[in-house]
């Protein structure tokens, strides 16, 4: 693969009754930890407001609060920077704590591959994987290309095209690299920590194209501010039925963003078990089902070590792609 330049710049009534009962018993904690949880929770979002990681975390906390599952306060904090390194580095520094938590994305794998973070995903305490998040490749409305073939013809004529995504070394970069390699054009990749900054740069003309999670960019598609050219999932979405998939264009095995949850290293066993038990309740609520559907996620639930096993399976392929791209 050609080397690219990287420009360095988150029975319903029965269900409700059972969840409420769980919430009323929350102070009893899981087996082996009778007083967990009994303190406020510090919830780190490792990226800025408005992105997929941020939306998922806030949805989870809304559900937890609605059903009174956590007996104390949960404080959400966006600690963006360094493609997740700042936020997850903060959680890593809380080793042994049961009162710090974070949601994850592909950067949990890829950021340590690029830089010496002092940690990898395997240092944290796994709770679960809940869903994967595919992306839409979009260009500004009014661009001279209205189809994927139009874009490819344009991009091939340029020395490079400038594209953007969330994170310096992340699933977004990997998607751009795989698309460019398959279609035969060169890219300069610009990373962002916030979805708002990414979309603003696209609309201002600073970027030729971006990839973004469907739930984050759908509003702009519906407002006809951007034009979707390709969807990275396996099947077309009903909400954008005319947009082809990568597989339809002969580009297979495009990765999706993993959406999961972690505790700090060496978190107490009672904290880990309490969160696994609680999140098993959360993912069965109608509110969570609606979040998954409305944000066009693919439900993919794995608990504890099975979650980290799935991340290990993707690490080698990510590392290979990034090395071929000159990103590592």
């Amino acid at each position: 693969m050609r080397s690219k330049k990287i420009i360095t710049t988150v029975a319903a009534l029965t269900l409700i009754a059972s969840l409420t009962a769980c919430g009323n018993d929350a102070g009893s904690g899981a087996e082996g930890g009778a007083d967990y949880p009994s303190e406020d929770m510090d919830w780190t979002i490792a990226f800025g407001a408005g992105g997929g990681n941020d939306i998922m975390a806030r949805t989870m906390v809304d559900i937890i609060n609605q059903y009174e599952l956590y007996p104390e306060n949960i404080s959400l904090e966006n600690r963006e920077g360094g493609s997740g390194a700042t936020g997850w580095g903060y959680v890593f520094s809380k080793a042994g704590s049961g009162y710090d938590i974070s949601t994850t994305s592909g950067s949990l794998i890829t950021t340590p591959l690029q830089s010496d973070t002092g940690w990898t995903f395997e240092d944290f305490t796994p709770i679960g994987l809940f869903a994967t998040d595919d992306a839409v490749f979009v260009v500004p409305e009014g661009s001279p290309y209205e189809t994927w073939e139009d874009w490819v013809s344009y991009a091939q004529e340029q020395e490079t095209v400038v594209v953007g995504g969330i994170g310096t070394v992340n699933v977004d970069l990997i998607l751009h690299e795989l698309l460019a390699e398959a279609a035969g054009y060169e890219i300069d990749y610009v990373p962002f920590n916030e979805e708002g900054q990414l979309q603003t740069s696209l609309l201002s003309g600073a970027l030729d194209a971006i990839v973004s999670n469907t739930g984050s960019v759908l509003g702009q598609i519906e407002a006809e501010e951007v034009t979707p050219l390709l969807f990275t999932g396996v099947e077309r979405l009903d909400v954008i039925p005319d947009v082809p998939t990568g597989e339809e264009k002969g580009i297979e095995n495009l990765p999706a963003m993993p959406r999961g949850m972690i505790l700090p290293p060496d978190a107490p066993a009672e904290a880990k078990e309490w969160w696994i038990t609680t999140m098993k309740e959360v993912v069965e609520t109608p509110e969570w089902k609606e979040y998954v559907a409305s944000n066009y996620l693919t439900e993919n639930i794995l608990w504890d070590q099975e979650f980290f096993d799935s991340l290990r399976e993707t690490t080698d392929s990510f590392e290979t792609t990034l090395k071929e791209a000159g990103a590592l």
Side-chain angles (χ1 to χ4, degrees):
M1 183 177 291
R2 296 173 300 281
S3 176
K4 315 294 191 299
K5 176 183 176 185
I6 299 176
I7 305 174
T8 302
T9 330
V10 163
L13 290 177
T14 302
L15 177 61
I16 291 171
S18 66
L19 289 174
T20 303
C22 177
N24 291 338
D25 293 339
S28 64
E31 182 179 354
D35 58 351
Y36 185 90
S38 59
E39 299 178 15
D40 290 351
M41 175 65 64
D42 186 350
W43 192 306
T44 291
I45 303 170
F47 295 91
N53 194 295
D54 181 75
I55 293 170
M56 181 178 74
R58 295 182 187 278
T59 299
M60 288 178 171
V61 173
D62 284 345
I63 294 170
I64 290 168
N65 288 337
Q66 177 179 343
Y67 289 103
E68 299 180 350
L69 299 177
Y70 195 82
E72 306 297 333
N73 293 322
I74 299 177
S75 176
L76 284 154
E77 186 75 26
N78 292 90
R79 296 183 170 98
E80 69 265 32
S83 298
T86 298
W88 292 319
Y90 175 84
V91 177
F92 178 74
S93 74
K94 300 296 182 178
S97 170
Y99 294 97
D100 292 89
I101 201 163
S102 185
T103 37
T104 71
S105 75
S107 289
L108 189 67
I109 299 174
T110 56
T111 296
L113 293 177
Q114 182 205 26
S115 57
D116 183 12
T117 58
W119 52 263
T120 72
F121 74 88
E122 296 190 81
D123 290 308
F124 294 94
T125 301
I127 299 301
L129 175 72
F130 312 118
T132 54
D133 201 350
D134 293 301
V136 185
F137 184 101
V138 301
V139 296
E141 183 67 23
S143 299
Y145 17 85
E146 298 181 356
T147 67
W148 177 248
E149 287 76 16
D150 290 343
W151 161 259
V152 170
S153 295
Y154 166 79
Q156 288 175 341
E157 293 172 355
Q158 310 304 309
E159 183 176 347
T160 60
V161 288
V162 184
V163 298
I166 299 296
T168 303
V169 176
N170 197 2
V171 173
D172 289 3
L173 169 62
I174 292 172
L175 286 172
H176 276 302
E177 291 289 348
L178 293 174
L179 293 172
E181 175 69 14
Y185 60 85
E186 302 281 349
I187 64 169
D188 287 342
Y189 175 78
V190 184
F192 294 83
N193 285 311
E194 294 185 2
E195 183 70 23
Q197 295 174 350
L198 173 65
Q199 293 186 17
T200 297
S201 293
L202 177 68
L203 297 177
S204 71
L207 300 173
D208 293 309
I210 66 171
V211 291
S212 182
N213 304 121
T214 308
S216 299
V217 77
L218 184 59
Q220 285 66 38
I221 294 173
E222 293 175 337
E224 298 184 348
E225 294 179 350
V226 301
T227 301
L229 302 183
L230 196 76
F231 178 58
T232 66
V234 176
E235 297 180 354
R236 293 193 184 199
L237 289 177
D238 291 342
V239 71
I240 46 174
D242 296 329
V243 178
T245 67
E247 289 199 359
E248 290 178 51
K249 301 301 178 182
I251 311 170
E252 299 182 345
N253 300 318
L254 292 171
M257 190 76 70
R259 301 291 184 196
M261 176 184 286
I262 54 172
L263 290 171
D266 303 318
E270 60 266 26
K272 175 180 175 178
E273 292 308 314
W274 190 93
W275 278 103
I276 290 175
T277 298
T278 299
M279 292 309 300
K280 285 181 177 179
E281 302 281 3
V282 168
V283 299
E284 292 301 322
T285 63
E287 290 79 10
W288 177 260
K289 301 295 186 183
E290 169 60 23
Y291 158 75
V292 170
S294 63
N295 285 273
Y296 308 97
L297 305 179
T298 300
E299 187 172 77
N300 186 6
I301 297 177
L302 298 171
W303 300 108
D304 199 0
Q305 287 300 324
E306 288 187 352
F307 168 32
F308 276 10
D309 288 345
S310 72
L311 295 184
R312 288 189 197 97
E313 290 177 2
T314 63
T315 299
D316 289 345
S317 62
F318 278 15
E319 186 171 10
T320 298
T321 300
L322 292 168
K323 284 182 176 178
E324 291 177 350
L328 297 180

